[in-house]
Amino acid sequence: MTRRSLREQATSAQVHAPASASTPRAGEPRRGVGGMLGDVVLWIAALGGVVCIVLVVLALTAQITLIMFSTGSMSPTIPAGSVAVVQRVPASDIRVGDVVTVDRVDELPITHRITSVSEGASAEERVITMRGDANASDDPFPYTVTSVRTVLFAVPGIATLIVAMGDPVVLGGITVAAALLVVWAFWPRSPASRRTMGSS
């Protein structure tokens, strides 16, 4: 047997050898759009869970919370419908020009810009006047505070979404959808389906 015939036999064996199981075949179905969409939704849900955990940790450790603006008294700096991230700080740390939220007894908190700060009855106490950026004059009365929530930053237009998320119907729908998504993601698949997904 000559060298030429040996080379021809080797080439013929390679041509007729069956394709490897790990090599994708032409025309094999790839993972469907539903599978990819499910992955995206799972990632979004996971990200939302992480954000909620981070917010809880920040609220407990750094006293960082959220407030919503239902009026436009701080426009255009913070328009109505915005959500602000605020942090509670001692009154001794505040300065003129800071935007802060003051808690009021039997009334809703108010968030305006500080226009003056003076000493209070104790070292921890301050008496402040405030004014909304959209207002022509200061608030009618000064506020005596030992701590305030200072605005770190605000995101316009998402207050409506957060309010809707607190609706029992919306919460129930989200819970049911999340449960169905988890069941779908971990539901046992047939061997043929697993082979199809593995070959894609």
Side-chain angles (χ1 to χ4, degrees):
M1 183 175 291
T2 63
R3 293 181 179 176
R4 181 177 180 180
S5 61
L6 289 173
R7 286 197 299 269
E8 289 175 351
Q9 287 180 1
T11 303
S12 177
Q14 290 176 357
V15 169
H16 293 91
S20 172
S22 62
T23 304
R25 298 183 181 87
E28 279 189 345
R30 294 185 178 273
R31 193 170 185 187
V33 175
M36 291 186 291
L37 183 60
D39 286 346
V40 171
V41 175
L42 281 174
W43 276 107
I44 292 175
L47 180 60
V50 170
V51 170
C52 291
I53 293 172
V54 169
L55 288 176
V56 171
V57 171
L58 289 175
L60 294 175
T61 60
Q63 300 192 55
I64 292 177
T65 54
L66 303 178
I67 60 169
M68 292 180 287
F69 287 77
S70 58
T71 69
S73 64
M74 279 301 297
S75 296
T77 308
I78 308 176
S82 300
V83 171
V85 177
V86 296
Q87 182 177 24
R88 186 169 294 280
V89 298
S92 56
D93 291 348
I94 59 179
R95 300 290 182 271
V96 172
D98 291 346
V99 178
V100 301
T101 298
V102 172
D103 297 312
R104 301 182 292 176
V105 178
D106 298 328
E107 292 186 77
L108 291 175
I110 185 168
T111 304
H112 282 166
R113 192 179 300 277
I114 297 175
T115 55
S116 71
V117 181
S118 59
E119 299 291 333
S122 65
E124 297 81 18
E125 194 176 78
R126 295 292 184 275
V127 179
I128 62 175
T129 58
M130 301 198 301
R131 179 192 304 181
D133 287 0
N135 298 340
S137 58
D138 289 350
D139 297 346
F141 305 101
Y143 305 95
T144 301
V145 294
T146 55
S147 68
V148 297
R149 289 179 285 171
T150 183
V151 175
L152 303 179
F153 63 89
V155 181
I158 65 171
T160 303
L161 176 61
I162 292 179
V163 170
M165 292 289 286
D167 186 275
V169 175
V170 176
L171 284 175
I174 293 174
T175 302
V176 171
L180 292 175
L181 184 61
V182 171
V183 170
W184 172 85
F186 293 98
W187 191 264
R189 293 178 172 82
S190 65
S193 175
R194 286 195 293 267
R195 285 197 298 269
T196 300
M197 293 178 66
S199 62
S200 61

